[in-house]
Amino acid sequence: MPLHDARAAALLAWVNSTKVCTDPLDELSQLQDCGVFIRIIHKIHRSEEGESVLEQPLPERINFICGFLQKHCKHKSAAENLVSAQKLLEGEELALVKVAVLLLYHTTMSCQSPGDWNEFDYKTQVELASILKFVLDNEESLNENLETFLQRKAPPSSSGSSSEEHSPLLSLPHKREVRFLELQKIASSSSGANNALPGPPSSPMGDVMQTPQFQLRRLKKQLAAERENRDELEVELAENRKLITEKEAQITMMQQRIDRLALLNEKQAADELEPKEMEELREKNESLMVRLHEALKQCQDLKTEKGQMDRKINQLSEENGDLSFKLREIASHLVQLQEALNELSEEHNAALAQSQEKQGQLESELRTALQEKKCLEEKVEILQGKISLLEDQLAKLGDCSAQEKGEVMGDILKLEEMKQEVSSLAAKGAELQATVLRLEEEKQCREAALQSERGRFEEEKQQLGSLVTSLQSSLAESHRAREKLEQDLRVREASESQS
């Protein structure tokens, strides 16, 4: 089955946006040497290993890429089965596209400051957003579903109703507003920072990255990285403790040798050894004493460093505990926010359907009233014409005899009846005019209310984005502590290598 052209083109556009290539790529076949993937990995982690791998043959490059994906993907066994090294070696386009999908997901999750997605056209953003959303929704079953997703045609678009699904309701319950403010207060207290309100997402990729599902997955990934870093530090601390134990054992052995030499020195002095032998023994003793002092100083330095490492490990453990607690709080808050959004969508759909039905009724009544008004106006014009004609005829007969006036009395009564009918029609026309004005005013009021609620919903949407952003800042302190600890470890390693 051929690849989905739009998704493949979107992934190629994302690869070009990383700017790891001198010239933009035009075809998937240009990824077969895997050099572009290695440069993207190097750009993410800034490791010297990535550049050295570029000089290796293709099988070593592929092993490096597969190893990276197995280490950094959420499910390592799934990544191992998902990307086939043999198919990458054969240059299969589906395998290349899979690697691009996993790198897109990992890069988006790892990046603290996402790039400007508006550099892509809207269609490309839609495809990238659909890929990212698919991986989020199918992390547990990528092996079964990813190939089908990358090959099948896109499902019918429902974007036409997306704006309606996120538009405000005509009336929002007071309890939802209170709940939203409470969640905002809780999230602000957990993050300890007061960030400015960001603007609403301006792109499909921005919309996906602002969802609670994406933000929760990113927080979990960052927490896992912190835990892995703590485990590495604990392993290094255990190695340092082992080194200290070995140094202490060496010091004990040296001390024992010094004691034996001292006893031998005393014995030789008692036996009145030759001055030359005594001098050699004294020099050996002094040399051993110097080495002993050096070993004692080194041991003391290691003990001091061990104490510092213990304090840092304890501090990191406490921070990780706080971070775990915050993560659970954040996850709970995000679930509540998602529930609030779902409730808002359900209320909106119901209110929108009711509003549309009422709007249709108003427009139907307005059209009917306008038609009736038009008919009445036509009837009034006809009757007024007849009245004018009869009044002209009666004026001409003003000088006639009484008998002739009696003969036209019927026309006069006919005329009176027409005047009464005109008055009746005029009154009915006035009522219709009032009805038309009332319907138009009610329509304008409903439109104004809908516009007001739309503004309120957009404001709450911005506040929700601010909450998600503020929740991210809760990990900043842990990142700073980790960077400082890594710097201290590098200094210690440099000092050890010099010694």
Side-chain angles (χ1 to χ4, degrees), residues 252-268 281 285 288:
T252 302
M253 293 176 62
M254 293 178 68
Q255 186 67 49
Q256 291 174 355
R257 291 183 61 185
I258 290 174
D259 293 340
R260 287 196 300 269
L261 287 174
L263 291 174
L264 180 61
N265 188 20
E266 292 176 357
K267 182 178 179 181
Q268 289 176 345
L281 185 60
N285 188 24
L288 287 174

Side-chain angles (χ1 to χ4, degrees), residues 326-385:
K326 289 181 180 179
L327 181 61
R328 289 192 295 270
E329 264 193 348
I330 290 169
S332 176
H333 300 162
L334 289 175
V335 169
Q336 295 179 31
L337 291 174
Q338 187 64 50
E339 291 177 352
L341 283 177
N342 293 338
E343 182 180 350
L344 178 64
S345 298
E346 293 176 359
E347 293 175 358
H348 161 263
N349 292 334
L352 182 62
Q354 182 179 2
S355 175
Q356 289 176 344
E357 182 180 359
K358 184 64 178 178
Q359 190 78 5
Q361 293 177 358
L362 289 175
E363 291 177 354
S364 176
E365 292 177 3
L366 183 59
R367 286 193 298 270
T368 303
L370 290 174
Q371 290 175 357
E372 291 181 0
K373 179 183 176 185
K374 184 177 179 181
C375 292
L376 289 176
E377 289 175 349
E378 292 176 353
K379 288 181 180 180
V380 168
E381 289 179 358
I382 294 172
L383 290 175
Q384 287 178 345

Side-chain angles (χ1 to χ4, degrees), residues 221-272:
K221 186 175 182 66
Q222 292 173 348
L223 180 59
E226 292 294 333
R227 288 174 176 169
E228 184 176 355
N229 182 65
R230 183 194 64 185
D231 294 340
E232 293 176 356
L233 290 175
E234 288 178 347
V235 170
E236 187 171 359
L237 179 61
E239 293 176 354
N240 288 334
R241 288 173 176 170
K242 181 179 178 182
L243 181 61
I244 291 174
T245 302
E246 293 175 355
K247 292 291 184 181
E248 290 177 344
Q250 292 177 3
I251 291 172
T252 302
M253 293 176 62
M254 293 178 68
Q255 186 67 49
Q256 291 174 355
R257 291 183 61 185
I258 290 174
D259 293 340
R260 287 196 300 269
L261 287 174
L263 291 174
L264 180 61
N265 188 20
E266 292 176 357
K267 182 178 179 181
Q268 289 176 345
D271 294 340
E272 297 181 354

Side-chain angles (χ1 to χ4, degrees), residues 183-194:
L183 292 178
Q184 183 183 24
K185 182 177 180 182
I186 294 172
S188 299
S189 63
S190 67
S191 64
N194 185 15

Side-chain angles (χ1 to χ4, degrees), residues 465-480:
S466 173
L467 288 179
V468 174
T469 303
S470 64
L471 292 177
Q472 291 177 335
S473 65
S474 63
L475 292 175
E477 295 181 1
S478 178
H479 285 299
R480 287 194 293 270

